[in-house]
Amino acid sequence: GCDVRVDDDMLVPDGKPLSAEFDACIIASPLAALAPEVAQQLDIVELSIFYFQIEPLELPAYYVLCHDSGLAASRIVNYRAYSFDQAPHLDRVLAVEVLHGVGQPPPIERLVAELQQVLPGVRVLDSHGLSRRLRVAVPSLANAARLDDLAQRVSERSGFALLHFTGMRTDKGLFFSHQTVGAAYAAALDCSRRLP
């Protein structure tokens, strides 16, 4: 619950250098979020989310990943499969996540055509695109180099024997929601094995 940032290449929670208060800690935050000046240098794309009301359809999975380079959609989410409550009105809702250039979301018509291509037999009754978009760092070598440089500088100034960044590096292709807990646990185990 504290405010954590990188200030002069030092991890600073609530205004005090980390090494002044702690012997060890795990911080669950995207690395770039701790250093806004580095975040501004990253190569980014935007994530847009569109919702589609469809004719009833049973999907076999939580979501469909769209890895074909010809598709604008990156993931089609089966809303019913994510719902723990019985909510019949969700049976006919799909969410489509799209990664695209900043300010360049695809037209809804293209996504309707893709839904019908990826899920044959689907009939779209209505659609809605969220007006807000999320900026996301791309998994590029340039971004990896920028974040590795930041991690190295912080490590050198921290006063700790070991710093371990993992789990939420978007340039490493890791999903926040799926890997946060496992990555934090793995980092803690790795630190405990390496320290004397």
Side-chain angles (χ1 to χ4, degrees):
C2 68
D3 176 42
V4 181
R5 59 188 164 78
V6 172
D7 188 11
D8 193 24
D9 293 337
M10 293 188 69
L11 281 172
V12 180
D14 284 340
K16 294 182 181 177
L18 191 67
S19 56
E21 298 264 330
F22 303 97
D23 294 321
C25 77
I26 295 174
I27 297 174
S29 171
L31 179 57
L34 302 177
E37 69 283 355
V38 173
Q40 292 172 1
Q41 300 168 8
L42 298 177
D43 301 323
I44 60 168
V45 292
E46 283 184 334
L47 170 68
S48 292
I49 300 177
F50 298 85
Y51 294 96
F52 295 90
Q53 182 183 14
I54 60 169
E55 282 291 300
L57 174 72
E58 292 292 328
L59 289 179
Y62 289 139
Y63 52 80
V64 177
L65 293 177
C66 302
H67 287 163
D68 189 296
S69 60
L71 298 175
S74 60
R75 191 167 75 143
I76 300 170
V77 179
N78 176 1
Y79 236 67
R80 181 183 185 191
Y82 270 109
S83 176
F84 293 105
D85 301 319
Q86 291 297 324
H89 66 285
L90 297 180
D91 291 356
R92 301 169 66 177
V93 176
L94 293 179
V96 176
E97 298 174 0
V98 182
L99 291 173
H100 56 81
V102 175
Q104 301 173 343
I108 291 244
E109 297 77 23
R110 177 175 178 184
L111 298 177
V112 168
E114 288 185 9
L115 271 176
Q116 293 168 336
Q117 178 184 359
V118 174
L119 302 169
V122 163
R123 191 163 77 89
V124 175
L125 305 176
D126 199 4
S127 62
H128 174 73
L130 293 181
S131 58
R132 295 186 65 186
R133 300 181 196 112
L134 176 67
R135 291 190 171 198
V136 182
V138 298
S140 67
L141 292 175
N143 280 351
R146 290 178 184 116
L147 292 170
D148 286 344
D149 179 62
L150 173 62
Q152 180 63 37
R153 293 192 326 258
V154 170
S155 182
E156 288 170 359
R157 294 263 318 187
S158 70
F160 289 104
L162 174 71
L163 285 180
H164 190 93
F165 293 99
T166 187
M168 290 178 286
R169 290 279 299 271
T170 56
D171 66 293
K172 303 287 189 184
L174 299 178
F175 290 101
F176 172 88
S177 60
H178 295 175
Q179 298 199 15
T180 304
V181 175
Y185 177 70
L189 282 179
D190 191 35
C191 288
S192 69
R193 290 181 184 125
R194 291 191 194 189
L195 293 175

